[in-house]
Amino acid sequence: MSGPIGLVAGRGQLPVHVAQGAIASGRGVFVARLKGFEEPELESFAGITVGLGELGKLIRAFKAEGCRDVVFAGIVSRPDFSSLKVDWRGAKLLPRVLKVAREGDDALLKLILTELETEGFSICGAEDIASHLLAAEGLLAGEQPGPSIHADIFRARQVAKAIGELDIGQGCVVCDGLVLAVEAQEGTDAMLARCATLPDELRGTPEAPRGVLVKVPKPMQTRKIDMPTIGLATLRGLRAAGLAGVAVEAGGALVIDREQMAQFAEQHGLFVLALADTP
């Protein structure tokens, strides 16, 4: 790999960590901040702001900057395709985008990745640039959960894999064997906020947490993009929902804000666990 990393960035801390990792590696970074999803902390990095339909502008900018390796990171909501502003290259691709969009997010992402690869770009995962973010097997924060929580983890993992097979989402919340929520287009934070509105008899409380969130990659998705990500915001959402912790798959999730997460978990009696790839 050579030249600066081309970073296609949405909201959140993950693209910030990737940009910092690219700088630390000596490669440098050029950030394409997606319009409507700009993360303020990325403004200090070299880059441009580009609309979701401006594929031609994105390609020209990356080529002009000598970017050959491209990383996608950050939160981006599916746009309203009927009102999307496109350049010539985006307009050329739009009919195929509309067709595969009905097949799910995974098919849509694969189409975009393939289009960039035909232009000579190599798609990298965020962990290729910031390897320290990848979850290693074991207890990452807090105390090891007991048997009842492990039973909830097993159940939530089963459900998360099932909805992943259908390209619905990556996360599931289970408490005492009962499925409280599955993640769809709203994302993890909104799912946890929804759990926080459920009656106390279905879930724990911040003072007496129980239940768990599990996040796993969708089985068919490429792990170079849309890898499950957890951070301090995840733990805050867990606590508000009265849950005891979160489990992810080792090698199948990115963990940001680790130091802050460890402090928060210890303070509030929560856990963060990375499990082996197979149950």
Side-chain angles (χ1 to χ4, degrees):
M1 295 188 291
S2 61
I5 300 297
L7 173 59
V8 183
R11 289 193 299 264
Q13 286 299 300
L14 178 57
V16 177
H17 283 276
V18 172
Q20 292 170 341
I23 295 293
S25 73
R27 296 276 309 272
V29 68
F30 185 80
V31 183
R33 298 176 292 270
L34 294 175
K35 191 176 297 182
F37 303 96
E38 299 97 324
E39 174 59 46
E41 289 187 53
L42 291 172
E43 293 179 1
S44 61
F45 295 92
I48 59 169
T49 300
V50 60
L52 289 173
E54 295 179 314
L55 183 59
K57 179 180 179 180
L58 175 70
I59 291 171
R60 290 192 301 272
F62 280 170
K63 287 187 174 181
E65 293 296 323
C67 303
R68 306 310 299 170
D69 301 305
V70 174
V71 178
F72 287 74
I75 301 168
V76 180
S77 303
R78 180 180 285 222
D80 177 2
F81 293 114
S82 64
S83 60
L84 189 65
K85 294 183 179 180
V86 296
D87 59 14
W88 180 85
R89 184 63 181 271
K92 182 180 177 183
L93 187 64
L94 188 58
R96 292 165 61 198
V97 167
L98 294 174
K99 181 180 179 180
V100 302
R102 297 181 63 86
E103 301 173 15
D105 287 346
D106 186 63
L108 180 58
L109 291 172
K110 285 180 178 177
L111 173 63
I112 296 170
L113 297 190
T114 299
E115 194 70 12
L116 288 174
E117 286 173 339
T118 63
E119 289 290 333
F121 296 107
S122 176
I123 309 301
C124 302
E127 70 278 9
D128 294 326
I129 309 304
S131 60
H132 64 284
L133 299 180
L134 196 62
E137 184 178 350
L139 186 66
L140 305 183
E143 296 184 1
Q144 187 70 237
S148 64
I149 293 294
H150 273 284
D152 280 348
I153 290 173
F154 182 82
R155 173 67 169 153
R157 197 174 188 183
Q158 285 182 312
V159 175
K161 285 183 176 292
I163 65 170
E165 289 279 5
L166 298 172
D167 198 12
I168 294 172
Q170 300 174 328
C172 176
V173 175
V174 169
C175 183
D176 296 338
L178 183 66
V179 176
L180 301 188
V182 293
E183 179 188 6
Q185 288 296 312
E186 80 274 36
T188 303
D189 292 346
M191 176 183 65
L192 291 174
R194 178 157 47 92
C195 287
T197 68
L198 295 173
D200 287 355
E201 57 266 26
L202 295 180
R203 59 182 177 86
T205 65
E207 295 74 28
R210 57 194 176 97
V212 66
L213 163 68
V214 171
K215 293 191 70 172
V216 298
K218 297 175 185 175
M220 83 293 286
Q221 80 178 70
T222 170
R223 297 196 179 191
K224 293 180 180 179
I225 187 170
D226 199 27
M227 182 86 84
T229 302
I230 59 172
L232 182 58
T234 311
L235 290 194
R236 287 173 172 159
L238 288 174
R239 185 169 192 273
L243 301 176
V246 55
V248 296
E249 287 191 353
L254 302 175
V255 185
I256 58 176
D257 311 320
R258 291 201 185 207
E259 186 174 330
Q260 298 96 315
M261 285 182 72
Q263 293 173 351
F264 191 92
E266 183 176 353
Q267 180 180 359
H268 298 291
L270 305 176
F271 71 86
V272 180
L273 186 63
L275 305 166
D277 186 43
T278 55

